[in-house]
Amino acid sequence: MSSTPEDPRRTPEDPRRTPGDRPPAPEGHARSSSNGPRGPRVVVIGAGIVGCSLADELTARGWTDVTVLEQGPLPAPGGSTSHAPGLVFRTSPSKTLTKFAQYTVEKFRSLDVDGVPCFDGVGGLELATTPERLAELHRRAGYAASWGVRGEVVSTARCKELWPLLDESVVLGGFHTPDDGLARALLAARAQTDRATARGARFLDRHTVTGIEQRDGRVTAVVTDRGVFPADHVVSAAGFWGPVIGRMAGVDVPLQPLAHQYAKTGPLAGLSGATAEATRPILRFQDRDLYFREHTDRIGIGSYAHRPLPVDPFAVPAYDEACARDMAMPSSYPLTAEDWAPSWEECRRLLPALRETEIETGFNGVFSFTPDGMPVLGETRRLRGFWLAEAVWVTHSAGVAKAVAEWMVDGRPSMDVHECDLTRFEAAQRSPSYVRERGSQQFVEVYDVLHPLQPMEQPRPLRISPFHARQEQLGAFFLEGTGWERPHWYEANAPLADALGDLPRRDAWSARYWSPAAAAEARATRERVALYDMTPLRRLEVAGPGALAFLDRMTSNNLRKKPGAVTYTLLLDETGGIRSDLTVARLAPDLFQVGANSPADLDRLLRHAPDGVHIRDITSGTCCVGVWGPLARALVQPLASDDFSHEGFGYFRAKRTYLGHVPVTAMRLSYVGELGWELYTTADLGLRLWDTLWEAGQHLGVVAAGRSAFDSLRLEKGYRAWGTDMTDEHTPFEAGLGFAVRMDKEDFVGKAALQRAAAPSRRLTPLLLDDPSAVVLGKEPVHVDGTPAGYVTSASYGYTVGRCVAYAWLPAALATGTTVHIEYFGEKVPATVADEPLYDPEMTRIRR
């Protein structure tokens, strides 16, 4: 492959653009192949497995004007791909990561280089040496069934059969996935390089990126030490150098590189005579943070058991500098023997044959972690045409590349990637110290048994509502999300639980992060009144003379209502997929308050807002208390001069008023199925608002209630949670949200796709567990007639209906009353398809 200086379209000697250079494409135009017969000009930074996979995916879709720049030598440029051990375990609690891995395996199975396959399907085996891990393997088997991965929990004897070198006396069982295996990352990169090159792409090594050019908020070129490359799109696939490239573009890349130990043994007698690279499954010993794979007659061992070893991406040496330091490559640091020693003893305990050999080679290899362990993908709004495909492991590489290529060419990926969206982190989660601390903790927890509600412990507290001090006084048990401290329940309410009688006994897993106080809070909400801290919910202000037309065009419901109206609506994409659900309050003719979900909602609205429409996030400067329950009116009316009666303040209406001395925006909404209001004020007055409500509610038996009770109540009422119950993979009619779509509107984003859509073949289905004491938590597979047919999204015990309520994606043809089985830690728990809503279907309690 050529790497001569004349390759670039512009050189340092001639800084002027040549006549053939195209100007930057206007907004929206760059996603069309109409830029030219070869499509837009794309420059990919990084020729590791992600960059090579992306070049292959883009050129396969007709975008063949692709240049891949690499600072090191090809085909092994010295990044994480060059040292990756190649283990591919597809099963993850994240459906998105699992789908990425499934596509990676599927694609790599089809590739070879000179007859050597790029994937070796030897299977995978995860071991349990403790009862807790064995239970976790059953849970992982549930994930596999939910996401469509073939696997089963197997006996100790079967583990020994699959891996004869094991000491079976320490093994309690295993999780066997026969279709997992080893990816030959460098070969896969080369195979995809060859395919992309044949379609017109070019790969240039020894080109160090030194800058990113931009004009009018759009990327225009990549500057290297060997010339300048004009571009309509630039993709940073630089791996742990991602923050370096991001800084050149003025783009924040929340990624922390860390070093991870990998070593190879000397020859083993038990493997003597081996000719194949590997024949046994790749092996995980997660109870000791270790994994193993064969290297013909040797064993390769990786360890996460050591202390985190953060690496400064700005201090990683270039390829030649690394070689001058006697490093094999920039991503390979010397093995730290003091960290390795304890792991080596654990290896020999599991595989006694290792006692006959020693470690021959080892290194600390650098790769990337983010604060939540997920990749960072997407196009930045501040610099249009600049994309990130970072923090991606070999396991997910081809799947990520496919999604990003679809995003670039078609405008959206064909699968949900909201967990990976680069906009997902709040400003408070982007500081270098936060990224370093959370990234390091992700390393520590790679193989830990993590409860789905388990928060990270540091840095906390980071974001608190104005009510935090009062919540602490009431014994709030806080969980954390997006940096916010969120009360899950209040210990002050624990004595109230005693009056409820015997609650169903929970198993040890579902009892974690749960308290009987949550049941008391749910009962108090149904019978009296409760205060809920809703401050962490995102609030946007949209203003300007074109605000109504803009929001009405962007969303699915009718917003053309008089000021004071509140509307539940959906933010759809062009295919009719649900990007978010919103609550839009029209406070004045040209002023709206929008209740949204994630930073991606703000990003999407800002991308499409016309001149004259102003959008700002007001969350941090405001706060919200939900006052809900049959006595809610009795609490707020004496504090207000305005009429809070049903006739004077109807359901889904808003008004600006005062409660005591506090100015509030009151919205008559309820996400728990009871009468009540969301009360908004500025953050400086938040504590006064809480105290005013608390004092006024004492004679009514008011309680503070947390998220645990909230989830129970919302599920009894059938209210969906975006990102959990539905994503852009689902349409409103599949998700049971057709009431929020007005097909008689002149037009809105996604309308044409919904008009063309066939009748739903799946739907979000309410289930009631048959056993009053049974509880599931979410993501479990649902079996119909003995076969996995879907999976649970949200689940919580319904204290009013006396059963655990679970929502699941299931075939639309399932009739009410059908018996299904939810697989919970390997047991099939019977449940019944129910009608919704389960609670107050006539809506009499909310509308009184």
Side-chain angles (χ1 to χ4, degrees):
M1 285 172 280
S2 174
S3 60
T4 57
E6 61 267 21
D7 280 323
R9 296 188 176 123
R10 187 158 57 112
T11 67
E13 290 75 20
D14 181 11
R16 297 167 298 175
R17 299 193 184 276
T18 65
D21 280 340
R22 296 185 293 271
E27 173 62 20
H29 186 63
R31 285 183 180 159
S32 168
S33 60
S34 61
N35 291 62
R38 301 180 61 209
R41 297 167 299 183
V42 180
V43 174
V44 178
I45 301 172
I49 189 63
V50 178
C52 294
S53 296
L54 180 58
D56 183 46
E57 295 288 339
L58 285 172
T59 56
R61 288 166 174 78
W63 281 23
T64 58
D65 193 349
V66 176
T67 301
V68 183
L69 302 174
E70 173 55 57
Q71 65 177 342
L74 291 175
S80 300
T81 302
S82 299
H83 70 246
L87 284 75
V88 177
F89 288 93
R90 293 165 300 160
T91 304
S92 166
S94 165
K95 178 184 175 185
T96 298
L97 288 186
T98 301
K99 294 301 181 184
F100 284 160
Q102 287 173 307
Y103 181 78
T104 299
V105 169
E106 176 188 337
K107 184 175 187 180
F108 287 4
R109 278 186 185 277
S110 70
L111 301 176
D112 70 86
V113 175
D114 298 330
V116 179
C118 294
F119 185 81
D120 195 347
V122 293
L125 180 62
E126 303 178 43
L127 300 176
T129 60
T130 66
E132 294 77 15
R133 180 66 63 179
L134 186 59
E136 169 70 0
L137 294 188
H138 280 286
R139 189 163 70 106
R140 289 181 62 78
Y143 293 145
S146 290
W147 315 144
V149 174
R150 191 163 63 107
E152 63 174 336
V153 176
V154 297
S155 67
T156 300
R158 178 58 175 155
C159 292
K160 178 70 172 179
E161 181 182 340
L162 291 167
W163 254 87
L165 299 183
L166 287 174
D167 178 357
E168 68 268 35
S169 69
V170 302
V171 177
L172 301 181
F175 175 45
H176 181 221
T177 46
D179 303 317
D180 288 341
L182 292 167
R184 296 182 174 91
L186 285 177
L187 280 186
R190 181 179 160 192
Q192 293 177 101
T193 296
D194 292 345
R195 298 203 318 183
T197 301
R199 301 184 189 113
R202 57 179 177 168
F203 291 75
L204 307 178
D205 62 1
R206 299 292 190 173
H207 280 66
T208 299
V209 174
T210 58
I212 306 293
E213 290 187 351
Q214 51 186 287
R215 185 172 69 240
D216 299 328
R218 184 162 195 97
V219 69
T220 59
V222 177
V223 183
T224 76
D225 59 348
R226 304 184 67 179
V228 179
F229 295 80
D232 303 306
H233 293 274
V234 173
V235 185
S236 177
F240 57 77
W241 282 289
V244 179
I245 301 301
R247 180 177 293 182
M248 296 178 192
V251 173
D252 203 13
V253 182
L255 177 161
Q256 176 61 55
L258 287 113
H260 160 63
Q261 294 194 314
Y262 191 78
K264 289 182 184 179
T265 71
L268 291 173
L271 300 178
S272 62
T275 56
E277 181 181 353
T279 58
R280 295 172 177 84
I282 49 178
L283 187 66
R284 276 177 169 170
F285 182 20
Q286 289 150 298
D287 289 323
R288 292 297 180 267
D289 297 306
L290 296 165
Y291 63 80
F292 305 84
R293 58 153 294 181
E294 294 171 290
H295 290 278
T296 314
D297 63 347
R298 292 163 166 80
I299 299 292
I301 307 164
S303 172
Y304 294 99
H306 55 85
R307 61 196 166 96
L309 299 168
V311 173
D312 181 357
F314 295 89
V316 176
Y319 191 92
D320 291 334
E321 182 184 352
C323 293
R325 295 187 192 178
D326 292 328
M327 298 168 59
M329 61 186 80
S331 61
S332 177
Y333 286 72
L335 185 74
T336 47
E338 66 276 16
D339 295 309
W340 176 256
S343 292
W344 183 229
E345 290 307 311
E346 293 293 345
C347 294
R348 291 176 160 187
R349 181 170 73 90
L350 181 71
L351 304 174
L354 296 181
R355 294 173 184 148
E356 68 189 46
T357 188
E358 296 293 339
I359 296 300
E360 283 193 346
T361 61
F363 63 95
N364 289 358
V366 182
F367 64 139
S368 304
F369 286 81
T370 58
D372 60 3
M374 300 294 287
V376 180
L377 311 177
E379 181 192 27
T380 65
R381 177 176 49 82
R382 296 186 182 277
L383 182 57
R384 300 294 182 89
F386 186 82
W387 297 76
L388 297 180
E390 297 291 10
V392 182
W393 295 5
V394 171
T395 298
H396 312 114
S397 55
V400 164
K402 176 177 181 282
V404 173
E406 291 172 335
W407 210 339
M408 296 174 71
V409 176
D410 304 325
R412 71 181 297 274
S414 60
M415 61 175 289
D416 167 49
V417 297
H418 82 273
E419 293 177 305
C420 310
D421 195 303
L422 59 85
T423 65
R424 70 187 182 273
F425 296 113
E426 305 282 351
Q429 297 174 294
R430 291 179 172 272
S431 71
S433 58
Y434 184 96
V435 173
R436 179 186 176 101
E437 192 165 352
R438 286 289 174 99
S440 296
Q441 189 62 24
Q442 288 291 337
F443 178 93
V444 170
E445 294 180 353
V446 161
Y447 284 164
D448 285 2
V449 177
L450 299 176
H451 193 277
L453 294 176
Q454 183 173 332
M456 285 199 170
E457 296 303 320
Q458 297 296 333
R460 291 179 64 192
L462 186 62
R463 307 175 78 186
I464 59 174
S465 78
F467 326 129
H468 188 74
R470 298 294 185 264
Q471 292 165 344
E472 287 188 311
Q473 291 168 4
L474 293 170
F477 181 86
F478 293 100
L479 296 181
E480 183 261 354
T482 63
W484 285 103
E485 294 295 319
R486 305 184 183 200
H488 207 52
W489 69 78
Y490 294 85
E491 285 300 325
N493 297 321
L496 299 177
D498 296 337
L500 300 180
D502 291 334
L503 292 170
R505 181 173 296 179
R506 291 195 169 214
D507 64 277
W509 186 252
S510 65
R512 292 182 65 183
Y513 303 102
W514 176 82
S515 166
E521 292 165 14
R523 176 70 64 86
T525 307
R526 291 279 187 242
E527 296 180 350
R528 301 190 304 276
V529 62
L531 305 185
Y532 288 81
D533 181 1
M534 306 303 289
T535 300
L537 300 184
R538 184 169 307 279
R539 294 171 289 284
L540 310 177
E541 181 183 272
V542 182
L548 173 59
F550 166 63
L551 288 173
D552 199 51
R553 170 77 174 83
M554 290 296 295
T555 66
S556 63
N557 212 337
N558 175 32
L559 301 186
R560 296 185 180 276
K561 303 172 184 176
K562 294 179 180 179
V566 182
T567 306
Y568 178 79
T569 187
L570 304 173
L571 194 65
L572 306 179
D573 64 21
E574 289 75 6
T575 70
I578 304 171
R579 291 289 298 260
S580 188
D581 61 342
L582 309 176
T583 303
V584 180
R586 192 177 189 188
L587 303 179
D590 298 327
L591 177 65
F592 296 81
Q593 180 172 310
V594 178
N597 285 295
S598 74
D601 298 343
L602 173 62
D603 185 80
R604 182 166 177 81
L605 293 175
L606 286 171
R607 285 176 185 267
H608 292 86
D611 293 340
V613 173
H614 306 286
I615 306 172
R616 65 188 185 102
D617 190 326
I618 61 172
T619 309
S620 296
T622 56
C623 60
C624 179
V625 181
V627 182
W628 291 316
L631 302 182
R633 183 175 289 116
L635 193 160
V636 298
Q637 183 63 84
L639 300 171
S641 56
D642 283 295
D643 184 3
F644 272 68
S645 70
H646 182 64
E647 294 74 21
F649 199 151
Y651 188 54
F652 264 79
R653 299 292 296 173
K655 66 172 66 176
R656 287 173 162 172
T657 185
Y658 288 86
L659 293 182
H661 299 288
V662 182
V664 299
T665 299
M667 299 185 194
R668 191 172 165 194
L669 309 174
S670 174
Y671 285 92
V672 298
E674 298 293 338
L675 170 70
W677 287 264
E678 293 180 356
L679 303 173
Y680 299 89
T681 191
T682 53
D684 59 321
L685 291 168
L687 188 58
R688 183 61 178 264
L689 175 62
W690 180 278
D691 288 345
T692 299
L693 295 167
W694 186 256
E695 181 179 351
Q698 289 306 299
H699 74 285
L700 301 171
V702 69
V703 303
R707 190 74 187 186
S708 183
F710 178 90
D711 279 337
S712 171
L713 298 170
R714 79 160 178 93
L715 285 171
E716 288 183 329
K717 194 62 183 169
Y719 293 144
R720 278 66 164 144
W722 186 86
T724 301
D725 295 315
M726 73 276 191
T727 68
D728 62 5
E729 289 186 342
H730 310 109
T731 71
F733 303 112
E734 293 173 325
L737 297 176
F739 66 88
V741 179
R742 289 295 298 270
M743 296 299 291
D744 57 350
K745 279 200 335 181
E746 181 177 351
D747 197 16
F748 59 88
V749 175
K751 178 180 178 180
L754 294 181
Q755 288 174 325
R756 296 189 302 267
S761 61
R762 60 181 177 177
R763 66 184 176 101
L764 190 59
T765 305
L767 304 174
L768 278 175
L769 274 65
D770 294 351
D771 182 349
S773 65
V775 175
V776 298
L777 299 180
K779 299 187 178 182
E780 296 89 357
V782 181
H783 297 257
V784 177
D785 295 329
T787 302
Y791 59 92
V792 174
T793 57
S794 294
S796 183
Y797 196 85
Y799 301 105
T800 313
V801 300
R803 294 285 193 281
C804 181
V805 181
Y807 271 77
W809 282 103
L810 289 169
L814 288 182
T816 299
T818 302
T819 296
V820 300
H821 290 83
I822 302 173
E823 184 178 337
Y824 183 70
F825 286 95
E827 295 186 9
K828 303 295 195 305
V829 180
T832 302
V833 175
D835 283 326
E836 61 175 342
L838 299 166
Y839 176 76
D840 188 26
E842 302 301 321
M843 301 286 285
T844 57
R845 298 182 67 87
I846 287 180
R847 297 180 182 274
R848 56 173 142 189

